[in-house]
Amino acid sequence: MKNLSEAKFATRSIHAGQEPAPGNHAIMTPIYQTSTFVQSSPGEYVEGYDYSRSANPTRTALEKNIASLEGGDRGISFSSGCAATSTVINTLRPGDRVVSADDVYGGTYRLFENVFRPMGIHFDFVDLCDLDALSAAINSDTKVIWIESPTNPLLKVIDIEAVSDIARKNGIKTVVDNTFASPYLQNPLSLGADLVLHSTTKYIGGQSDVIGGVVVTSDAEWADRIAYLQNAIGSVPAPMDCFLLLRSTKTLAVRMEKHCENALYLAEWLSGQPGIASVTYPGLKTHPQYDVACKQMKAGGGIITIEVDGGLEASRTFLESVSLFSLAESLGGVESLIEHPAIMTHA
Ligand code: PLP
């Protein structure tokens, strides 16, 4: 077992969860493309594996790897970011309430409002940059505060430490969807959050070729319940996808450095251009929560939100005119993408 106790992020991203393969010492974790595992005696599993919905060695390596990157005890992976979100909310009971950031990914809002609200779980959408509004929204049924930071698509930066502090004093758990920051730029567990979630489809995957999700937590009881539901509900990632994600985390640090450098350059350049009504980027001093971003993020990230003069028609023309950027949903890949949330991801 490698000793990574003193290792920094880029080193952990390459080594954590990964040992030379049993038998032949292949350096890359094999793709254990198998549905089941042979038992030595009924109910006796060799090395803990019986059936790939329950656990798979390629998935175990990925989960350990990302848990290490987020500084948590347990990683639990899913077939998509939405599956991760669903499984976390599935740990709640009818009558429970969630205070959610008012600006979240459209698919998260859809799950909250159209899937879980009819099942009796209530969601209060609040601007979590306003801590008084957060305190006012909490009541005795509130079980979870759901942060996304930076938010999708308005790039609000929520003070994770301050929100987690309020949550803890009220006996409430804090979840942070860290997709827009990546584990390289921000580690919510170290800021007091109880659970961190990623759409691994984005920065963690980084090559626009995988859909996936993961949660990381050091809350043993919650981790056990989520792992139970991971198996019971069964929205698990395939071994091949786990392999692709393991390949990707190895370069996360260098990719994020480049994303941030490029985005800051572009955000500064766009700020001076005619026809651009506003530029929002957490790494710009003009960002309303620039101080919070400096406190909790290593850099501003790879996403910029702009408003163009002339409304929807001008936006459409702008989006149809780009050449190097591709008009497509998603983010965090090596290509540059551009999209209009109200028409596309948040429609
Ligand atoms: N969370 C955020 C912030 C996202 O942007 C997305 C997708 O865009 C998701 C969660 C959902 O992830 P997936 O598309 O992998 O289900």
Side-chain angles (χ1 to χ4, degrees):
M1 216 38 144
K2 291 165 188 163
N3 178 5
L4 296 174
S5 56
E6 301 290 320
K8 295 200 176 130
F9 186 95
T11 305
R12 280 181 283 129
S13 75
I14 292 162
H15 296 284
Q18 294 156 93
E19 296 292 332
N24 55 29
H25 271 212
I27 193 166
M28 300 307 295
T29 303
I31 306 162
Y32 285 94
Q33 194 72 42
T34 184
S35 57
T36 194
F37 299 82
V38 179
Q39 303 186 15
S40 52
S41 173
E44 273 183 29
Y45 313 147
V46 182
E47 298 194 21
Y49 295 101
D50 66 330
Y51 186 65
S52 277
R53 173 163 38 72
S54 312
N56 174 284
T58 320
R59 191 169 100 209
T60 305
L62 175 69
E63 291 174 339
K64 286 186 175 165
N65 183 258
I66 299 183
S68 165
L69 300 186
E70 279 294 7
D73 292 344
R74 297 268 296 277
I76 306 163
S77 62
F78 297 91
S79 54
S80 69
C82 284
T85 300
S86 298
T87 308
V88 172
I89 300 297
N90 261 308
T91 64
L92 302 181
R93 291 277 163 272
D96 287 347
R97 300 188 82 91
V98 176
V99 174
S100 168
D102 60 353
D103 182 44
V104 286
Y105 167 57
T108 302
Y109 182 82
R110 177 175 55 204
L111 266 175
F112 288 176
E113 284 299 285
N114 297 348
V115 177
F116 287 107
R117 187 184 288 276
M119 292 163 70
I121 298 167
H122 300 276
F123 297 87
D124 301 296
F125 293 94
V126 172
D127 179 359
L128 294 182
C129 296
D130 179 347
L131 298 178
D132 293 335
L134 166 63
S135 296
I138 290 173
N139 71 27
S140 56
D141 293 328
T142 308
K143 296 292 185 305
V144 165
I145 298 175
W146 191 279
I147 296 176
E148 208 179 272
S149 189
T151 64
N152 178 359
L154 297 177
L155 301 180
K156 291 184 190 180
V157 177
I158 296 164
D159 189 331
I160 296 170
E161 200 166 18
V163 170
S164 302
D165 200 39
I166 293 173
R168 201 174 320 104
K169 286 182 180 138
N170 286 278
I172 299 167
K173 294 187 192 299
T174 307
V175 172
V176 178
D177 182 335
N178 202 26
T179 302
F180 264 40
S182 87
Y184 180 70
L185 296 184
Q186 176 173 282
N187 294 126
L189 300 183
S190 71
L191 299 167
D194 297 284
L195 184 140
V196 55
L197 178 145
H198 285 276
S199 164
T200 52
T201 314
K202 309 293 168 6
Y203 288 123
I204 290 177
Q207 328 284 325
S208 307
D209 54 10
V210 180
I211 299 282
V214 71
V215 304
V216 177
T217 181
S218 297
D219 178 330
E221 206 179 310
W222 212 8
D224 283 345
R225 181 70 188 147
I226 293 168
Y228 180 86
L229 292 175
Q230 178 201 36
N231 177 47
I233 296 171
S235 45
V236 293
M240 176 71 187
D241 288 355
C242 295
F243 171 85
L244 289 170
L245 291 168
L246 273 172
R247 164 218 54 182
S248 292
T249 58
K250 294 183 199 304
T251 57
L252 185 59
V254 281
R255 283 188 284 111
M256 290 313 299
E257 286 290 338
K258 198 65 189 166
H259 276 304
C260 294
E261 184 189 324
N262 286 348
L264 179 61
Y265 180 87
L266 200 53
E268 282 171 347
W269 181 82
L270 280 165
S271 300
Q273 295 305 306
I276 304 293
S278 75
V279 178
T280 307
Y281 178 67
L284 285 181
K285 291 202 172 76
T286 51
H287 189 287
Q289 295 91 38
Y290 177 71
D291 291 345
V292 181
C294 290
K295 189 175 75 160
Q296 67 189 25
M297 295 174 74
K298 231 184 234 150
I303 301 150
I304 305 168
T305 296
I306 60 168
E307 281 181 88
V308 297
D309 288 327
L312 202 53
E313 270 325 294
S315 299
R316 209 178 275 282
T317 308
F318 188 99
L319 293 167
E320 287 169 357
S321 310
V322 290
S323 61
L324 286 180
F325 278 66
S326 300
L327 178 59
E329 297 179 7
S330 204
L331 59 112
V334 286
E335 318 77 11
S336 297
L337 306 183
I338 191 163
E339 72 122 359
H340 191 294
I343 308 173
M344 298 166 69
T345 46
H346 292 63

Coordinates of all heavy atoms in Angstrom, one line a residue, residues 17-62:
G17 N -5.8 5.1 -4.3 CA -6.8 4.1 -4.7 C -6.2 3.1 -5.7 O -6.9 2.1 -6.0
Q18 N -4.9 3.3 -6.1 CA -4.4 2.5 -7.2 C -3.1 1.8 -6.8 O -2.1 2.5 -6.4 CB -4.2 3.3 -8.4 CG -5.5 3.9 -9.0 CD -5.4 5.1 -9.8 OE1 -5.2 5.1 -11.0 NE2 -5.3 6.2 -9.1
E19 N -3.1 0.5 -6.9 CA -1.9 -0.4 -6.6 C -1.7 -1.1 -7.9 O -2.6 -1.4 -8.7 CB -2.2 -1.3 -5.5 CG -2.5 -0.7 -4.1 CD -1.3 0.0 -3.6 OE1 -0.1 -0.4 -3.9 OE2 -1.4 1.0 -2.8
P20 N -0.5 -1.6 -8.1 CA -0.2 -2.5 -9.3 C -1.2 -3.7 -9.3 O -1.6 -4.2 -8.2 CB 1.2 -3.0 -9.1 CG 1.9 -1.9 -8.3 CD 0.8 -1.4 -7.4
A21 N -1.7 -4.1 -10.5 CA -2.8 -5.1 -10.5 C -2.3 -6.4 -10.0 O -1.2 -6.8 -10.3 CB -3.3 -5.2 -12.0
P22 N -3.2 -7.1 -9.3 CA -2.9 -8.4 -8.8 C -2.5 -9.4 -9.9 O -3.1 -9.3 -11.0 CB -4.2 -8.9 -8.1 CG -5.0 -7.7 -8.0 CD -4.6 -6.7 -9.0
G23 N -1.4 -10.1 -9.7 CA -1.0 -11.1 -10.7 C 0.1 -10.7 -11.6 O 1.1 -11.2 -11.7
N24 N -0.2 -9.5 -12.4 CA 0.8 -9.1 -13.4 C 1.4 -7.7 -13.2 O 2.2 -7.2 -14.0 CB 0.1 -9.2 -14.8 CG -1.1 -8.3 -14.8 OD1 -1.3 -7.3 -14.1 ND2 -2.1 -8.7 -15.6
H25 N 0.9 -7.0 -12.1 CA 1.5 -5.7 -11.8 C 1.3 -4.6 -12.9 O 2.1 -3.8 -13.1 CB 2.9 -5.8 -11.4 CG 3.1 -6.0 -9.9 ND1 4.1 -5.5 -9.1 CD2 2.2 -6.7 -9.0 CE1 3.9 -5.9 -7.9 NE2 2.8 -6.6 -7.8
A26 N 0.2 -4.8 -13.7 CA -0.1 -3.7 -14.6 C -0.3 -2.4 -13.8 O -0.9 -2.4 -12.7 CB -1.5 -4.0 -15.3
I27 N 0.3 -1.3 -14.3 CA 0.3 -0.1 -13.6 C -1.0 0.6 -13.6 O -1.4 1.2 -12.6 CB 1.4 0.9 -14.1 CG1 1.6 2.1 -13.1 CG2 1.1 1.4 -15.5 CD1 2.9 2.8 -13.4
M28 N -1.8 0.4 -14.7 CA -3.1 1.0 -14.7 C -4.1 0.0 -14.1 O -4.1 -1.2 -14.4 CB -3.5 1.3 -16.2 CG -2.6 2.3 -16.9 SD -2.4 3.8 -16.0 CE -4.0 4.5 -16.0
T29 N -5.1 0.5 -13.3 CA -6.1 -0.4 -12.8 C -6.9 -1.0 -13.9 O -7.4 -0.3 -14.8 CB -7.1 0.5 -11.9 OG1 -6.3 1.1 -10.9 CG2 -8.1 -0.4 -11.3
P30 N -7.0 -2.3 -13.9 CA -7.7 -3.0 -15.0 C -9.2 -2.6 -15.0 O -9.8 -2.3 -14.0 CB -7.6 -4.5 -14.7 CG -6.4 -4.6 -13.8 CD -6.4 -3.3 -13.0
I31 N -9.8 -2.8 -16.2 CA -11.3 -2.6 -16.3 C -11.9 -4.0 -16.0 O -11.8 -4.9 -16.8 CB -11.6 -2.2 -17.8 CG1 -10.8 -1.0 -18.2 CG2 -13.1 -2.0 -17.9 CD1 -10.8 -0.7 -19.7
Y32 N -12.4 -4.1 -14.8 CA -13.0 -5.4 -14.4 C -14.4 -5.5 -15.0 O -15.4 -5.3 -14.3 CB -13.0 -5.5 -12.9 CG -11.6 -5.8 -12.3 CD1 -10.8 -4.8 -11.9 CD2 -11.1 -7.1 -12.3 CE1 -9.5 -5.0 -11.4 CE2 -9.9 -7.4 -11.8 CZ -9.1 -6.3 -11.4 OH -7.8 -6.6 -10.9
Q33 N -14.4 -5.8 -16.3 CA -15.7 -5.9 -17.0 C -16.4 -7.2 -16.7 O -16.4 -8.1 -17.6 CB -15.4 -5.7 -18.5 CG -16.7 -5.3 -19.4 CD -17.2 -3.9 -19.1 OE1 -16.4 -3.0 -19.0 NE2 -18.5 -3.8 -19.0
T34 N -16.9 -7.3 -15.6 CA -17.6 -8.5 -15.1 C -18.8 -8.2 -14.3 O -18.8 -7.2 -13.6 CB -16.6 -9.4 -14.3 OG1 -17.2 -10.6 -14.0 CG2 -16.2 -8.7 -13.0
S35 N -19.8 -9.0 -14.5 CA -21.0 -8.8 -13.7 C -21.0 -9.4 -12.4 O -21.6 -9.0 -11.4 CB -22.3 -9.2 -14.5 OG -22.1 -10.6 -14.8
T36 N -20.2 -10.6 -12.3 CA -20.3 -11.4 -11.0 C -18.9 -11.9 -10.7 O -17.9 -11.8 -11.5 CB -21.3 -12.5 -11.2 OG1 -21.6 -13.0 -9.9 CG2 -20.9 -13.6 -12.1
F37 N -18.7 -12.4 -9.5 CA -17.4 -12.9 -9.0 C -17.7 -14.3 -8.4 O -18.7 -14.6 -7.8 CB -16.9 -12.0 -7.9 CG -16.7 -10.6 -8.5 CD1 -17.7 -9.7 -8.6 CD2 -15.4 -10.2 -8.9 CE1 -17.5 -8.4 -9.1 CE2 -15.2 -8.9 -9.4 CZ -16.2 -8.0 -9.5
V38 N -16.7 -15.2 -8.7 CA -16.8 -16.6 -8.2 C -16.6 -16.7 -6.7 O -15.6 -16.1 -6.2 CB -15.9 -17.5 -9.0 CG1 -16.0 -19.0 -8.5 CG2 -16.1 -17.4 -10.5
Q39 N -17.5 -17.4 -6.0 CA -17.4 -17.5 -4.6 C -16.7 -18.8 -4.2 O -16.9 -19.9 -4.9 CB -18.8 -17.4 -4.0 CG -19.5 -16.2 -4.4 CD -20.9 -15.9 -3.7 OE1 -21.2 -16.6 -2.7 NE2 -21.6 -15.0 -4.2
S40 N -15.9 -18.8 -3.1 CA -15.2 -20.0 -2.7 C -16.1 -20.9 -2.0 O -15.9 -22.1 -2.0 CB -14.0 -19.6 -1.8 OG -14.5 -18.7 -0.8
S41 N -17.1 -20.4 -1.4 CA -18.1 -21.2 -0.6 C -19.3 -20.3 -0.6 O -19.2 -19.1 -0.7 CB -17.5 -21.5 0.8 OG -18.5 -22.1 1.6
P42 N -20.6 -20.9 -0.5 CA -21.7 -20.0 -0.5 C -21.6 -18.8 0.5 O -21.4 -19.0 1.7 CB -22.9 -20.9 -0.1 CG -22.4 -22.3 -0.5 CD -20.9 -22.3 -0.2
G43 N -21.7 -17.6 -0.1 CA -21.7 -16.4 0.7 C -20.3 -16.0 1.1 O -20.1 -15.0 1.9
E44 N -19.3 -16.7 0.7 CA -17.9 -16.3 1.0 C -17.3 -15.6 -0.2 O -17.0 -16.3 -1.3 CB -17.1 -17.5 1.4 CG -17.2 -17.8 2.9 CD -16.3 -18.9 3.4 OE1 -15.3 -19.2 2.8 OE2 -16.8 -19.5 4.4
Y45 N -17.0 -14.3 -0.1 CA -16.6 -13.6 -1.3 C -15.1 -13.4 -1.2 O -14.5 -12.9 -0.2 CB -17.2 -12.2 -1.3 CG -18.7 -12.2 -1.0 CD1 -19.3 -11.1 -0.3 CD2 -19.5 -13.2 -1.4 CE1 -20.7 -11.1 -0.1 CE2 -20.9 -13.2 -1.2 CZ -21.5 -12.1 -0.5 OH -22.8 -12.1 -0.3
V46 N -14.4 -13.7 -2.3 CA -13.0 -13.5 -2.4 C -12.7 -12.0 -2.5 O -13.2 -11.3 -3.4 CB -12.4 -14.2 -3.6 CG1 -10.8 -14.1 -3.6 CG2 -12.7 -15.7 -3.5
E47 N -12.0 -11.4 -1.6 CA -11.7 -10.0 -1.5 C -12.9 -9.1 -1.5 O -12.9 -7.9 -2.0 CB -10.7 -9.6 -2.7 CG -9.4 -10.3 -2.6 CD -8.3 -9.8 -3.5 OE1 -8.4 -8.7 -3.9 OE2 -7.4 -10.6 -3.7
G48 N -14.0 -9.6 -1.0 CA -15.2 -8.7 -0.8 C -16.1 -8.5 -1.9 O -17.0 -7.7 -1.9
Y49 N -15.8 -9.1 -3.1 CA -16.6 -8.9 -4.3 C -17.6 -10.0 -4.6 O -17.1 -11.2 -4.6 CB -15.7 -8.6 -5.5 CG -14.9 -7.3 -5.3 CD1 -13.6 -7.4 -4.9 CD2 -15.5 -6.1 -5.5 CE1 -12.9 -6.2 -4.8 CE2 -14.8 -4.9 -5.3 CZ -13.5 -5.0 -4.9 OH -12.8 -3.8 -4.7
D50 N -18.9 -9.7 -4.8 CA -19.8 -10.8 -5.2 C -20.5 -10.5 -6.5 O -20.8 -11.4 -7.3 CB -20.8 -11.1 -4.1 CG -21.7 -10.0 -3.8 OD1 -21.3 -8.8 -4.0 OD2 -22.9 -10.2 -3.3
Y51 N -20.9 -9.2 -6.7 CA -21.7 -8.8 -7.9 C -21.5 -7.4 -8.2 O -21.4 -6.6 -7.2 CB -23.2 -9.1 -7.5 CG -24.2 -8.9 -8.5 CD1 -24.2 -9.8 -9.7 CD2 -25.2 -7.9 -8.4 CE1 -25.2 -9.6 -10.6 CE2 -26.1 -7.8 -9.4 CZ -26.1 -8.6 -10.5 OH -27.1 -8.5 -11.5
S52 N -21.3 -7.0 -9.4 CA -20.8 -5.7 -9.8 C -21.7 -4.5 -9.5 O -21.3 -3.4 -9.4 CB -20.3 -5.6 -11.2 OG -19.0 -6.1 -11.3
R53 N -23.0 -4.7 -9.2 CA -23.9 -3.6 -8.8 C -23.5 -3.3 -7.3 O -23.5 -2.1 -7.0 CB -25.4 -3.9 -8.9 CG -26.2 -2.9 -8.2 CD -27.7 -2.9 -8.6 NE -28.3 -4.2 -8.8 CZ -28.5 -5.1 -7.8 NH1 -28.3 -4.7 -6.5 NH2 -29.0 -6.3 -8.0
S54 N -23.1 -4.3 -6.6 CA -22.8 -4.1 -5.2 C -21.4 -3.4 -5.1 O -21.1 -2.5 -4.3 CB -22.8 -5.4 -4.4 OG -24.0 -6.1 -4.7
A55 N -20.4 -4.0 -5.8 CA -19.0 -3.4 -5.8 C -18.3 -4.0 -6.9 O -18.5 -5.2 -7.4 CB -18.3 -3.8 -4.5
N56 N -17.3 -3.3 -7.4 CA -16.5 -3.7 -8.5 C -15.1 -3.1 -8.3 O -15.0 -1.9 -7.9 CB -17.1 -3.2 -9.9 CG -16.2 -3.5 -11.1 OD1 -15.2 -2.8 -11.3 ND2 -16.6 -4.5 -11.8
P57 N -14.0 -3.8 -8.5 CA -12.7 -3.3 -8.2 C -12.3 -2.0 -8.9 O -11.6 -1.2 -8.3 CB -11.7 -4.5 -8.6 CG -12.6 -5.7 -8.6 CD -13.9 -5.2 -9.0
T58 N -12.7 -1.9 -10.2 CA -12.3 -0.6 -10.9 C -13.1 0.6 -10.2 O -12.5 1.6 -10.0 CB -12.7 -0.7 -12.4 OG1 -12.4 -2.0 -12.9 CG2 -12.0 0.4 -13.2
R59 N -14.3 0.3 -9.8 CA -15.1 1.3 -9.1 C -14.5 1.7 -7.8 O -14.5 2.8 -7.4 CB -16.6 0.8 -9.0 CG -17.5 1.9 -8.6 CD -18.9 1.4 -8.7 NE -19.5 0.9 -7.5 CZ -20.4 -0.1 -7.4 NH1 -20.8 -0.7 -8.5 NH2 -20.9 -0.4 -6.3
T60 N -14.1 0.6 -7.0 CA -13.5 0.8 -5.7 C -12.3 1.8 -5.8 O -12.1 2.7 -5.0 CB -13.0 -0.5 -5.1 OG1 -14.2 -1.4 -5.1 CG2 -12.5 -0.3 -3.7
A61 N -11.4 1.5 -6.9 CA -10.3 2.4 -7.1 C -10.7 3.8 -7.3 O -10.1 4.7 -6.7 CB -9.4 1.8 -8.2
L62 N -11.7 4.0 -8.1 CA -12.1 5.4 -8.4 C -12.7 6.0 -7.2 O -12.4 7.2 -6.9 CB -13.2 5.3 -9.5 CG -13.9 6.7 -9.8 CD1 -12.9 7.6 -10.5 CD2 -15.2 6.5 -10.6

